Amino acid sequence: MMHASFKSLLKRKNMAHLNAGEDSRSQPPLRRVAFVLLDNFSLMAFAGAVDALVTANLVTREPLVEVLVVGATSDLVVSDLGTAISTDCQLTALQEQRLDLLIMCGGFRVHLQSSPSIRSTLRCFDAAGTTLGGLWNGAFFLAEAGVLDGHDCAIHPDSRAMLLESFPGVCLSRHSYVLDRKRISCAGANSALSMMLDWLRRDHDQSFVDAIEEILNCDKAQEVMDVSVLTLDRDPTLPQALKLALELMHNNIDEPLSVDEIARWVNISRRQLERLFIRYVDASPSRYYMELRVTYARQLLQQTNKSIADIAVASGFTSIDHFRHCFRQFFHVAPAKFRRQRQP
């Protein structure tokens, strides 16, 4: 008899779709994050950072982060791509807010000249214990306000010489992003997402952050399967027998193979195969195979108009009643209700 919900690494892929009642862990307090947009800020860096936070809210039963977009000088700020972003408020109104994190959003063409309002805002929130951060060359504004001395800092390579000469109290890092106590910074657009994921790790366990990565970083692997698991895709030490076994399962969802058949195909014993799955996948082969098929069914329920019966067959279930029973065990809701709940 199958036990409820997911055991394998596929739990990360399905976390955003699990019934809220299944997760009994206490929720961390709501975090408030403000992004201060400067003229010509990097839209890609900003989007990557915000995407991590918005996705975090989708992977839990209650919102975890409230995002506030702030204009440094106006209500409408133009990015480096010419896209205008409407803000929630201007910098002058920000000091009335309670914040957990304030990030200055820089970019390749951002003019590195601070202002009394930026300087006073950063010092005010530093005194209040708020974590301060910078995207691209946004860390310049922290350094200019005198709140970055004695901290490691990541900044775009074009700004390193300036920061080294102008602010000798700041410790320049060669890493693409840095989290140092109550200071976080990244050197460009590609590292913004990673920086924010690490910031989320301060409040949440690894499996939660892995679930976010499953959604946002699915295309980092050279090949993407129908139901890909990043932890496996990126592992260069994964034994070839296990890779072949996983590929066999992915390619035979509608007509599942037996574990013995898979072991014979990859030329190892069933016991060896089971040990590989427990070590690398956190579940037995049969358990993972069932979770893979139920995950495939979940995707079809969300993204197609196929009937429940057709989805059951496509997922390798010969009985629609058996499919409904298994789906309810994993997602704690019947397939039809699951589909209705997620319709726009």
Side-chain angles (χ1 to χ4, degrees):
M1 174 68 70
M2 287 286 178
H3 296 291
S5 199
F6 291 83
K7 286 186 176 180
S8 79
L9 298 178
L10 284 168
K11 181 171 185 177
R12 301 166 187 174
K13 182 172 293 295
N14 289 289
M15 191 176 290
H17 312 286
L18 296 177
N19 188 284
E22 179 222 348
D23 191 352
S24 60
R25 296 174 299 177
S26 60
Q27 286 268 117
L30 181 72
R31 299 299 186 191
R32 304 188 77 239
V33 180
F35 290 87
V36 179
L37 305 185
L38 300 149
D39 290 335
N40 298 311
F41 70 95
S42 167
L43 183 60
M44 185 175 173
F46 168 67
V50 173
D51 209 1
L53 304 181
V54 171
T55 306
N57 285 341
L58 299 176
V59 183
T60 187
R61 64 185 185 275
E62 297 290 343
L64 296 172
V65 184
E66 180 184 341
V67 175
L68 192 67
V69 182
V70 181
T73 57
S74 64
D75 294 324
L76 201 66
V77 186
V78 178
S79 75
D80 56 343
L81 301 183
T83 303
I85 300 295
S86 180
T87 64
D88 298 306
C89 69
Q90 289 192 35
L91 193 65
T92 50
L94 189 61
Q95 293 189 23
E96 303 171 8
Q97 305 282 344
R98 180 198 63 78
L99 297 177
D100 295 285
L101 174 61
L102 187 156
I103 297 181
M104 301 298 298
C105 300
F108 191 70
R109 291 188 290 118
V110 166
H111 187 42
L112 296 183
Q113 182 173 340
S114 192
S115 67
S117 61
I118 291 177
R119 195 175 302 119
S120 64
T121 297
L122 289 171
R123 289 173 179 172
C124 173
F125 281 104
D126 173 47
T130 299
T131 298
L132 304 176
L135 303 180
W136 199 295
N137 49 19
F140 161 82
F141 298 91
L142 277 64
E144 198 279 337
V147 297
L148 199 53
D149 285 357
H151 290 83
D152 285 345
C153 165
I155 199 165
H156 193 275
D158 277 358
S159 300
R160 290 178 62 86
M162 173 276 299
L163 205 71
L164 189 66
E165 293 296 324
S166 302
F167 308 103
V170 177
C171 306
L172 272 178
S173 172
R174 295 194 178 275
H175 294 290
S176 60
Y177 71 93
V178 173
L179 284 78
D180 183 6
R181 292 159 287 170
K182 286 188 172 292
R183 301 292 180 268
I184 68 175
S185 51
C186 67
N190 292 323
S191 52
L193 173 61
S194 297
M195 180 186 76
M196 294 311 299
L197 289 174
D198 260 11
W199 181 76
L200 286 168
R201 283 187 182 94
R202 291 180 169 182
D203 280 343
H204 305 281
D205 59 32
Q206 184 63 41
S207 63
F208 176 81
V209 179
D210 287 342
I212 301 171
E213 285 197 276
E214 285 289 343
I215 297 171
L216 298 180
N217 282 339
C218 64
D219 57 345
K220 281 195 172 180
Q222 290 185 339
E223 298 180 19
V224 179
M225 290 188 177
D226 291 338
V227 185
S228 178
V229 179
L230 289 181
T231 309
L232 298 176
D233 295 342
R234 295 178 183 173
D235 189 350
T237 69
L238 209 65
Q240 185 64 23
L242 179 57
K243 289 181 182 179
L244 291 174
L246 290 168
E247 189 171 352
L248 281 169
M249 291 180 177
H250 280 267
N251 292 336
N252 293 274
I253 290 178
D254 57 340
E255 295 184 6
L257 303 170
S258 71
V259 175
D260 287 329
E261 285 177 312
I262 294 171
R264 285 197 297 272
W265 273 105
V266 301
N267 201 29
I268 61 175
S269 70
R270 176 177 179 135
R271 189 171 179 180
Q272 287 175 307
L273 184 65
E274 288 174 342
R275 283 201 295 262
L276 288 176
F277 267 83
I278 293 297
R279 177 178 177 184
Y280 291 95
V281 187
D282 296 341
S284 68
S286 59
R287 177 73 188 197
Y288 174 81
Y289 209 171
M290 174 61 77
E291 294 186 6
L292 180 71
R293 290 161 54 207
V294 172
T295 301
Y296 189 76
R298 187 265 296 167
Q299 294 173 333
L300 292 178
L301 282 168
Q302 286 181 284
Q303 299 168 19
T304 75
N305 293 320
K306 286 180 176 290
S307 69
I308 302 296
D310 286 344
I311 290 174
V313 172
S315 307
F317 293 90
T318 56
S319 161
I320 191 170
D321 288 337
H322 185 216
F323 168 63
R324 287 185 177 127
H325 175 72
C326 291
F327 192 90
R328 184 186 289 273
Q329 279 191 313
F330 286 100
F331 290 99
H332 303 275
V333 64
K337 186 175 181 180
F338 178 90
R339 170 175 271 173
R340 287 196 302 270
Q341 290 175 340
R342 282 151 181 82
Q343 286 177 340

